[in-house]
Amino acid sequence: MARLIGHILVLIIVSLGSNCLHAQYDGLEKSHSVSKKNNFTKRLDTSINEFGDTIIQEVFEGGPKSFSSNFSKFNGIETFFSPIIVSELYLDIGPFWGTYFKNNLLLAAGPQATTLLSFNNKSSLSGGAFAFARVNIGRVFLQPEYRITNIFEPTANQRQWIGSPVILGGILSNGKSQWASVGFIVNGKLANASPFGAFVFRFGFEFN
């Protein structure tokens, strides 16, 4: 009876030992497999040097994205030109430099110049600056901005700096490199100096 119990104990010990060895072997295999942890990818690169020796190296790729990776530079220009009548030409142009945040929010600013060429009366030229925030929702965007322009103000009969919020909405091309927008000038003084009144029409494209 004692011999039988001894054989049973030996079988149990052998069985447990083989399971432990198998578990350890599995652990060794996993240490050499490709694994991912904390956004890092670990893989083994095997190469043979000039002496014929096999070299195994651990390579870590990826990792957590830095906060700066959420930003991307975006430079563009907005313009509109239109012959109002046969003897006049209106041209507005405004280059800007900006930054996209997560490809949805564009913050930008730049100079702006406007000219009204008249072949019968005096031509006018005005300039200023603007800054805006563009929020993209798919291919449609909303663009609130602020513009300050040095223009001739008829009621004061002199040139003045006039600022105004401008609310625009528009549509983007597939690659966001071209767009068209229409908007509304809030300040009536600046609207009176525009040949289109309170309405704003613009075309834009990206440049590098």
Side-chain angles (χ1 to χ4, degrees):
M1 185 66 179
R3 184 176 295 178
L4 178 60
I5 294 174
H7 285 304
I8 293 173
L9 289 175
V10 171
L11 289 175
I12 293 173
I13 292 171
V14 170
S15 177
L16 291 175
S18 64
N19 287 335
C20 291
L21 290 174
H22 184 69
Q24 290 179 358
Y25 182 73
D26 284 347
L28 289 174
E29 281 189 334
K30 289 179 182 178
S31 68
H32 289 279
S33 61
V34 176
S35 61
K36 284 189 177 182
K37 188 177 182 180
N38 297 331
N39 293 326
F40 283 96
T41 300
K42 182 179 74 174
R43 62 180 175 82
L44 295 180
D45 270 2
T46 303
S47 60
I48 300 176
N49 64 13
E50 57 185 359
F51 303 106
D53 299 324
T54 300
I55 300 175
I56 299 177
Q57 292 179 324
E58 287 185 341
V59 180
F60 292 89
E61 298 175 336
K65 292 184 178 180
S66 63
F67 182 72
S68 60
S69 64
N70 294 318
F71 294 88
S72 59
K73 184 177 67 174
F74 188 89
N75 304 326
I77 187 168
E78 290 193 331
T79 183
F80 185 78
F81 60 93
S82 173
I84 302 170
I85 56 176
V86 177
S87 60
E88 292 182 338
L89 176 67
Y90 172 81
L91 173 64
D92 178 88
I93 187 167
F96 63 82
W97 295 263
T99 302
Y100 257 117
F101 176 69
K102 289 189 175 181
N103 211 29
N104 292 321
L105 174 62
L106 173 62
L107 302 177
Q112 174 257 342
T114 302
T115 181
L116 178 62
L117 301 176
S118 176
F119 300 102
N120 298 327
N121 302 313
K122 288 185 177 181
S123 300
S124 64
L125 177 66
S126 60
F130 68 106
F132 66 87
R134 176 184 297 174
V135 181
N136 297 337
I137 306 172
R139 290 182 57 189
V140 178
F141 67 86
L142 177 66
Q143 181 173 309
E145 65 180 37
Y146 188 85
R147 287 186 175 248
I148 182 167
T149 310
N150 183 265
I151 60 174
F152 180 80
E153 213 283 306
T155 56
N157 197 29
Q158 63 179 358
R159 297 190 70 88
Q160 291 183 347
W161 285 99
I162 300 178
S164 175
V166 182
I167 308 299
L168 297 110
I171 186 168
L172 297 160
S173 65
N174 285 330
K176 298 182 181 179
S177 59
Q178 298 178 354
W179 61 92
S181 60
V182 59
F184 182 81
I185 301 173
V186 176
N187 190 327
K189 288 185 177 181
L190 188 60
N192 291 336
S194 171
F196 304 101
F199 291 100
V200 177
F201 308 94
R202 294 200 192 120
F203 303 102
F205 56 91
E206 179 185 11
F207 71 86
N208 296 317

